[in-house]
Amino acid sequence: MKNVWVAGILSFLLPGLGHLYLGQVFKGFILIILNAIFILLSSSVIGILGFLIVWLYAVINSIRRVKVFNSNLNQ
């Protein structure tokens, strides 16, 4: 069983870490790379918006994925 709080906090700290915690390695690395790209572009509006979108997506999706992961274990 994976903990919702751990996945959420890891994704909050660095988008992609929550997915790595869940074993979704490819998705986790893609989110980390996107996060790094948008941080480099943060001097523009597109960089800031991209960073916020990736960050929010990572937190929300990792929390949802924990629930799916845990429900699959109970079957």
Side-chain angles (χ1 to χ4, degrees), residues 5-34:
W5 285 98
V6 172
I9 290 171
L10 286 172
S11 286
F12 180 82
L13 295 175
L14 179 65
L17 281 183
H19 290 85
L20 292 176
Y21 169 70
L22 293 171
Q24 296 179 327
V25 177
F26 182 73
K27 192 175 200 178
F29 281 127
I30 293 296
L31 289 170
I32 290 170
I33 291 167
L34 284 173

Side-chain angles (χ1 to χ4, degrees), residues 10 22 26-27 38-39 55 64 66 68 72-73:
L10 286 172
L22 293 171
F26 182 73
K27 192 175 200 178
F38 286 126
I39 286 174
W55 179 71
R64 288 183 179 169
V66 168
V68 170
N72 288 339
L73 287 178

